[in-house]
Amino acid sequence: MKLHPLLIVLLLTTLVGFASGLLLPQLLPLRPSAPLHLIFALGIMPLIMGAMTYFVPVLTRTRTAEPRALAPALLALAAGLLLSFSLFFSFSLYPLAALLGLVAAGWLSLWILQRKRQTLGRPHPGLLWYQLALLALIGGLLAILAAFFLPEQWGPLRRLHLHLNLLGFVGLTALGTLRVLLPTTGGYSDPDAGPWLMQQWPWMVAGTLLIAAGAAWSPAAALLGVLLWLLPLARLLKSLLVTHRSTVWRSHGAVTSLAGAVLGLLVILLSGAAHAEGWLPPTNTTHAFIPLFLLPLVSGAATHLLPLWLSTSNKQREQSLRSRLGRYSAVRATLFLLGGLFILAGQGWGLVPVLLALAQFLVTVLLSLRPNY
């Protein structure tokens, strides 16, 4: 089997994970953490691992990844399926899911290290961000395993697990990719991208560790971590809102959704600071993370990458699919962000615009799978 069909399956699984994570808690009595776990474990974690497998050869200037290189991503998908089962039937199975996730993350880390050693010259600085993101994922999974054996520390270790996964694994992967993908999708040159990646990772890593540890044990440390995240993010936002605003903010295309995800991440960080001060309940920020950041991020990345995976040798069809997937992306991103803001404010009906935008994108993706579309 080729690499691209497997990546498409992972993308479709992620979109199904989004839909189930948003809808099922409205229909069934599930744990409060269920929406994020369904979306993260069933969709985001396998998809990110698959995307890393796709991008690492580019970052290391090595041969295209072989299909078997997706084994860690498929193992992560198995872990997500097991965790999803545990949410409905037997929560005691979650340690086994965490163990499978650890094996997948460790396996992919070793594969990336092998590719790094094969690089001619120096690898792209984005590769280090992937390695750090996987280390954060490993730390988050170890934290939740430790909580199983230390039930008296369940609350702090669960919060440590949550923040290492969301800001560490998802956040570092996303920003490491976005600094390359934003200029590509926007069609502009960004000479600051490489230096930004090389200079900002220590601050982002330190900020992630402080936020995660602070959420677990010390709100003051979490606030310092937020500040360390905001400074590099401000430089990226300046590029999007000032330097390249006429190129980035369009009615259609992947770049608008991706830029919207950066704005959503800023809102999440600020709401996290508000939560640390006791001004917002933590569940609001956690649930708002999905529409404010994950949905515009995945829809924007899929708009650019899915046509490439579907039309490897047909540039005309690739451009046509990309145009159709990116149609009304500004409206879609606006619905995601507005819905996320309402959810952040505790207004449950904010889910309505989010589901409408997701449904529109999911239908477009399914139509794009037709050969004659």
Side-chain angles (χ1 to χ4, degrees), residues 45-79:
M45 182 171 67
L47 181 64
I48 285 180
M49 288 188 177
M52 285 181 175
T53 307
Y54 176 78
F55 282 118
V56 163
V58 179
L59 300 177
T60 57
R61 296 181 294 280
T62 55
R63 68 186 185 281
T64 302
E66 58 281 2
R68 66 176 179 271
L70 279 176
L74 296 176
L75 184 60
L77 178 59

Side-chain angles (χ1 to χ4, degrees), residues 205-223:
V205 170
T208 299
L209 294 175
L210 284 170
I211 291 172
W217 296 290
S218 171
L223 289 173

Side-chain angles (χ1 to χ4, degrees), residues 54 304 307-323:
Y54 176 78
H304 180 73
L308 192 62
W309 297 340
L310 287 170
S311 311
T312 53
S313 58
N314 189 334
K315 293 295 181 182
Q316 184 176 358
R317 182 167 185 257
E318 178 187 330
Q319 291 302 323
S320 175
L321 286 174
R322 191 166 289 146
S323 175

Side-chain angles (χ1 to χ4, degrees), residues 8-305:
I8 293 168
V9 169
L10 290 175
L11 174 61
L12 292 175
T13 305
T14 301
L15 294 176
V16 171
F18 275 124
S20 61
L22 292 171
L23 281 173
L24 287 179
Q26 314 304 315
L27 305 173
L28 299 171
L30 296 177
R31 297 171 179 272
S33 60
L36 192 61
H37 279 96
L38 283 169
I39 290 167
F40 180 84
L42 191 61
I44 294 298
M45 182 171 67
L47 181 64
I48 285 180
M49 288 188 177
M52 285 181 175
T53 307
Y54 176 78
F55 282 118
V56 163
V58 179
L59 300 177
T60 57
R61 296 181 294 280
T62 55
R63 68 186 185 281
T64 302
E66 58 281 2
R68 66 176 179 271
L70 279 176
L74 296 176
L75 184 60
L77 178 59
L81 290 169
L82 181 59
L83 179 61
S84 300
F85 178 85
S86 74
L87 289 171
F88 289 94
F89 300 105
S90 177
F91 193 62
S92 61
L93 290 174
Y94 86 84
L96 180 56
L99 281 173
L100 289 177
L102 276 172
V103 174
W107 189 347
L108 183 57
S109 297
L110 291 175
W111 181 80
I112 291 176
L113 184 61
Q114 182 184 34
R115 284 302 181 105
K116 183 179 180 180
R117 289 170 177 166
Q118 297 172 359
T119 308
L120 294 176
R122 298 181 62 182
H124 190 279
L127 187 73
L128 176 61
W129 286 66
Y130 285 0
Q131 292 177 294
L132 292 169
L134 285 169
L135 285 175
L137 175 62
I138 290 170
L141 292 171
L142 287 173
I144 203 63
L145 275 175
F148 180 75
F149 296 102
L150 300 169
E152 69 279 4
Q153 290 294 315
W154 170 260
L157 287 172
R158 184 184 63 83
R159 292 191 293 272
L160 182 69
H161 159 81
L162 175 70
H163 289 82
L164 285 176
N165 282 348
L166 296 187
L167 282 181
F169 178 57
V170 179
L172 292 177
T173 302
L175 288 177
T177 304
L178 282 172
R179 284 303 280 170
V180 178
L181 203 54
L182 279 164
T184 302
T185 56
Y188 63 89
S189 174
D190 187 2
D192 293 331
W196 187 93
L197 288 169
M198 289 186 289
Q199 295 165 6
Q200 302 303 328
W201 71 263
W203 304 107
M204 307 294 276
V205 170
T208 299
L209 294 175
L210 284 170
I211 291 172
W217 296 290
S218 171
L223 289 173
L224 178 58
V226 169
L227 180 61
L228 292 179
W229 257 79
L230 286 176
L231 294 176
L233 196 61
R235 290 186 59 185
L236 175 56
L237 283 168
K238 180 184 177 183
S239 170
L240 299 177
L241 296 174
V242 179
T243 311
H244 303 292
R245 66 179 182 275
S246 60
T247 309
V248 169
W249 302 103
R250 307 172 181 173
S251 299
H252 314 284
V255 66
T256 302
S257 291
L258 296 174
V262 179
L263 280 177
L265 182 58
L266 173 65
V267 174
I268 287 296
L269 286 171
L270 294 175
S271 70
H275 158 57
E277 291 295 316
W279 300 337
L280 278 176
T283 52
N284 289 22
T285 300
T286 303
H287 291 164
F289 185 84
I290 299 166
L292 284 175
F293 183 56
L294 292 181
L295 280 168
L297 174 70
V298 171
S299 60
T303 296
H304 180 73
L305 293 172

